[in-house]
Amino acid sequence: MDGGRDIPSQHVTSTSHRDFASSLVRSFTATSPLAQELVARDIAECSSDEEDDRTSRGRRVSHENAFDSEDEDDEGARTPTLYRRLSGVAYGSSRPAIAVPPVSEPVLTQIERRRSRDAERSLLRDNHILPPKHALEKEPGFFSRVYKRVFSTKVPLPETPDEESRVAERQPLLTPVPEDGPTADPLNEVWETAVAEGKIKTTWQREAQTIAVYSRSLIVTFMLQYSINVASIFAVGRIGKLELGAVSLATMTANITCYAPIQGLATSLDTLCAQAFGSGHKHLVGLQLQRMTFFLWLLLLPVAIVWFHAEDILATMIPERRSAELAGMYLRIVIAGTPAMVAFECGKRFVQAQGLFQATTYVLMIAAPVNIILNYTFVWRLGWGFIGAPIAVACTQNLLPIILFLYVRFVDGSQCWGGLSKRAFSNWGPMIRLALPGMIMVAAEWFAFEILTLATGQFGTSYLAAQSIMVTVSATTFQIPFPLSIAGSTRVANLIGAKLVDAAKTSAKVTFVGGLVTGLLNMVIVFAFRYQIPLLFTHDQEVIEIVASVMPVLSVLQVFDGLAAVSHGLLRGLGRQEIGGYANLASYYIVALPISFGLGFGLDWKLAGLWAGVTVGLLVVSCIEYWVIYTADWDRSVKEAEHRNASG
């Protein structure tokens, strides 16, 4: 009898294995669009599982009751959204993605819908369509008039010949709307009428204020995350120029072989988690997190093998054997932190889909100072020297997901976690196909910088150390214009989604000026402190002289780097980010790299020639993208956004 029972048991086991393999193969069938199909499959499987269905239904009902209990009128699909979450905090590398697939926005929470309504109401007031929130001064003083002239966000009224006309213009152009009325339908009607009649305008003051508010938290977030990478360069640089060059070589190798591909693949969660959150089955957000995490952990196996033998690989490319040895040692130690790095990259998307963007900032506010302390302690206090830097990096990488887990568990975000599920090992096909474009774009950009770093190694140890400083300075200054570009992208997309073409153009102009001013400011700082900046990294006089001689080129690059970052953002706001991706790739591989090698090796300009090529490439891509923006059909972008909103 026992033997008879074993046969069906084996049969069931083998059948389940075949079913699992079959489901994995079927997941690679053609789908369109991929994200919707993947989430639809998960919902179908979820609804067939009674236990999961009860869990998700309980959570969903609670969520819907919360929405229905307050401001139910705010949920009308016809109300345009003037408040949208910034999606840039998912990044954090020194050179973020060139272009990623469009991110599907998750549904807004009550607070966010209220902010959107407040933004509409404020814009109506500034256009004198609704009565002002505060009574106007009868006879404003001189300083009050100057202040309003410079900082007021109100749209100026045309000059009128008589006092009677002035009084008439102070009245709202449309019927006043009670702000605390029982329904929001009058406000919806006022808004739609004003948009249809072209009465909604904006000012550069309002757009500058909005973009500044959007940017500030992102700048802090990016600076904190980049400090984790740059801290080891500061700590190791004072040991010697050999160690400084080695840590740059190791960091760039880690970026191109692991960090960049991982970040690129994880960008698909921006869409998948948002789709899952918007479906109402919140626990599916956690399922997407598990699926991508397991997939990326699987990819770490070949990465670990490459890193373990990195010394021999790099020795074939770098004349200085000792640099290759130190870089290989760095990579072998950092292997211990890569699984945690994957978990953190995926976890950022998990909280982002729920609108919890501050979670990443809070985590980094704890981890970044700890990382600095660890680098100082291991490298100098304990006397471990070079080996202390990768140990500090690995410890910090393992700390990041732990802090994020504690935030989700005890603060906010746990409502989208449904527990570990065996479904995480199915439906990988659409997820991988959705993730590959993001990986290719990110890795392609990083690879261009890796080529420059490897090329610098041909000039000797001092130049490789100088390249480490140049890359660090360039990446640090980039953390300011890139958040600005995200803010501009979000604002332009909001205004286009609200059918306010003129306002979107005004916001784009403000963003352009912001990028130009930021680039000029960075240029002045880099040029003025060209002799002081390398002292932060090293005391080697030869390296300092090389860096100081190349800094003028890097200072010019700052202007075009800022303009290029902003142009990428504006193209994303217009929904034409693929143009920016192709233009950027062309500028790197067709323009920048050939010029860099021609000047660096052909004319023997060495490091200055390599960076001059990158500067020319950024100039070219800026010109191309701003020409596309200038000649773009903005009304077409409005129609495309309207179509996407209707489809969503």
Side-chain angles (χ1 to χ4, degrees):
M1 295 293 293
D2 292 340
R5 292 192 189 95
D6 289 341
I7 294 176
S9 176
Q10 294 172 358
H11 175 72
V12 170
T13 303
S14 61
T15 301
S16 64
H17 288 168
R18 287 199 302 270
D19 291 342
F20 173 76
S22 177
S23 66
L24 186 61
V25 172
R26 286 197 304 271
S27 69
F28 284 89
T29 57
T31 58
S32 178
L34 294 174
Q36 286 90 336
E37 189 218 351
L38 182 57
V39 174
R41 289 181 182 180
D42 291 332
I43 293 175
E45 294 176 2
C46 157
S47 61
S48 65
D49 189 323
E50 293 182 359
E51 181 178 353
D52 287 348
D53 188 51
R54 284 196 300 269
T55 303
S56 62
R57 186 186 303 116
R59 292 175 177 170
R60 187 166 65 254
V61 168
S62 175
H63 178 67
E64 290 173 349
N65 288 341
F67 273 28
D68 293 339
S69 63
E70 183 176 351
D71 292 336
E72 181 179 357
D73 46 63
D74 285 2
E75 297 185 39
R78 59 194 179 96
T79 303
T81 299
L82 277 181
Y83 176 88
R84 184 177 300 178
R85 308 184 189 111
L86 297 172
S87 59
V89 298
Y91 302 101
S93 60
S94 57
R95 308 296 303 190
I98 299 172
V100 296
V103 176
S104 300
E105 291 292 332
V107 295
L108 297 180
T109 65
Q110 292 182 38
I111 295 176
E112 289 166 336
R113 280 203 306 276
R114 193 173 299 114
R115 289 175 179 173
S116 177
R117 303 288 286 177
D118 291 341
E120 296 171 15
R121 193 174 285 116
S122 176
L123 203 51
L124 289 171
R125 288 197 187 102
D126 280 356
N127 282 271
H128 314 283
I129 297 174
L130 290 183
K133 190 173 183 179
H134 304 289
L136 298 175
E137 296 182 64
K138 294 183 178 180
E139 295 183 3
F142 172 77
F143 291 105
S144 179
R145 291 198 301 271
V146 171
Y147 177 84
K148 289 181 178 180
R149 172 75 65 176
V150 177
F151 297 105
S152 177
T153 61
K154 288 188 176 297
V155 176
L157 287 168
E159 294 295 333
T160 53
D162 54 17
E163 181 63 24
E164 182 178 352
S165 299
R166 292 191 186 95
V167 172
E169 286 173 346
R170 293 195 187 101
Q171 304 300 321
L173 301 180
L174 298 175
T175 305
V177 180
E179 298 190 17
D180 298 324
T183 68
D185 288 340
L187 181 58
N188 288 345
E189 294 173 3
V190 169
W191 175 267
E192 292 172 359
T193 302
V195 171
E197 296 178 0
K199 292 182 178 179
I200 301 294
K201 307 293 181 183
T202 189
T203 60
W204 70 265
Q205 292 95 334
R206 166 178 281 276
E207 297 311 307
Q209 183 184 79
T210 302
I211 292 173
V213 171
Y214 279 8
S215 302
R216 61 190 182 190
S217 60
L218 291 180
I219 293 175
V220 173
T221 301
F222 287 163
M223 285 292 188
L224 288 173
Q225 180 151 355
Y226 185 62
S227 70
I228 295 176
N229 296 328
V230 78
S232 61
I233 297 178
F234 277 105
V236 169
R238 295 184 176 274
I239 298 177
K241 62 182 180 181
L242 182 67
E243 289 79 6
L244 181 58
V247 74
S248 175
L249 183 61
T251 301
M252 289 302 299
T253 303
N255 287 331
I256 189 60
T257 58
C258 181
Y259 298 156
I262 291 300
Q263 288 186 4
L265 291 168
T267 57
S268 64
L269 287 182
D270 294 335
T271 298
L272 292 172
C273 288
Q275 292 277 358
F277 188 84
S279 71
H281 297 72
K282 288 189 175 183
H283 68 286
L284 294 183
V285 181
L287 177 61
Q288 304 298 346
L289 167 68
Q290 296 175 51
R291 192 173 281 149
M292 178 58 72
T293 302
F294 293 147
F295 169 63
L296 295 181
W297 279 347
L298 187 63
L299 295 183
L300 288 182
L301 295 177
V303 171
I305 295 174
V306 172
W307 285 13
F308 193 80
H309 298 90
E311 177 183 337
D312 296 330
I313 297 174
L314 292 174
T316 63
M317 307 177 188
I318 301 296
E320 179 59 54
R321 176 74 188 192
R322 182 56 179 165
S323 295
E325 291 177 359
L326 291 176
M329 181 192 305
Y330 186 104
L331 292 172
R332 283 195 297 271
I333 295 173
V334 172
I335 290 175
T338 52
M341 182 275 296
V342 166
F344 181 64
E345 285 297 323
C346 295
K348 286 193 297 185
R349 273 74 176 184
F350 174 77
V351 294
Q352 172 181 290
Q354 304 176 60
L356 305 175
F357 290 110
Q358 296 299 326
T360 304
T361 304
Y362 295 147
V363 170
L364 292 172
M365 288 177 66
I366 299 173
V370 170
N371 178 64
I372 295 174
I373 295 173
L374 290 178
N375 271 278
Y376 171 76
T377 302
F378 294 161
V379 175
W380 294 103
R381 191 71 176 177
L382 298 180
W384 294 355
F386 180 86
I387 198 175
I391 294 176
V393 170
C395 291
T396 304
Q397 287 178 336
N398 281 280
L399 180 64
L400 287 170
I402 294 175
I403 302 176
L404 184 60
F405 169 78
L406 294 176
Y407 180 93
V408 171
R409 176 65 177 83
F410 296 105
V411 181
D412 198 1
S414 60
Q415 62 270 18
C416 288
W417 178 257
L420 295 174
S421 173
K422 63 182 180 181
R423 297 197 189 99
F425 298 98
S426 63
N427 287 337
W428 281 21
M431 176 190 69
I432 295 173
R433 290 165 57 196
L434 187 66
L436 284 177
M439 183 203 71
I440 293 172
M441 297 301 286
V442 178
E445 184 173 11
W446 272 107
F447 188 64
F449 280 85
E450 176 73 354
I451 291 175
L452 292 179
T453 299
L454 292 174
T456 305
Q458 303 300 316
F459 301 139
T461 302
S462 297
Y463 281 93
L464 188 59
Q467 170 73 355
S468 177
I469 298 175
M470 300 292 290
V471 171
T472 303
V473 173
S474 173
T476 302
T477 56
F478 188 73
Q479 306 308 313
I480 300 177
F482 182 63
L484 180 67
S485 75
I486 295 175
S489 169
T490 304
R491 181 61 173 173
V492 169
N494 286 349
L495 294 172
I496 285 179
K499 306 178 185 178
L500 303 177
V501 175
D502 292 337
K505 291 181 178 179
T506 301
S507 185
K509 293 175 183 177
V510 170
T511 307
F512 168 79
V513 173
L516 179 60
V517 171
T518 301
L520 290 173
L521 181 61
N522 285 339
M523 180 186 71
V524 171
I525 293 175
V526 169
F527 183 80
F529 296 97
R530 62 188 182 279
Y531 292 103
Q532 288 75 26
I533 290 176
L535 291 174
L536 299 174
F537 300 86
T538 181
H539 289 306
D540 187 280
Q541 192 60 36
E542 184 181 5
V543 176
I544 293 174
E545 291 177 359
I546 294 174
V547 173
S549 66
V550 183
M551 277 295 185
V553 179
L554 186 65
S555 66
V556 176
L557 177 142
Q558 300 303 312
V559 178
F560 304 123
D561 207 14
L563 290 176
V566 167
S567 65
H568 300 340
L570 294 179
L571 285 174
R572 287 195 300 270
L574 285 169
R576 306 187 67 181
Q577 62 270 27
E578 73 284 351
I579 295 177
Y582 298 138
N584 219 352
L585 286 180
S587 72
Y588 278 124
Y589 290 95
I590 299 178
V591 178
L593 288 181
I595 293 178
S596 293
F597 283 102
L599 296 177
F601 293 94
L603 298 183
D604 199 31
W605 289 12
K606 293 186 171 62
L607 194 57
L610 296 182
W611 281 93
V614 176
T615 303
V616 175
L618 289 172
L619 169 62
V620 170
V621 76
S622 298
C623 294
I624 293 174
E625 293 183 350
Y626 281 116
W627 173 252
V628 172
I629 294 170
Y630 180 75
T631 59
D633 186 349
W634 290 62
D635 292 316
R636 176 186 173 186
S637 296
V638 170
K639 294 178 181 178
E640 291 174 350
E642 186 177 4
H643 176 71
R644 286 195 300 269
N645 292 336
S647 300

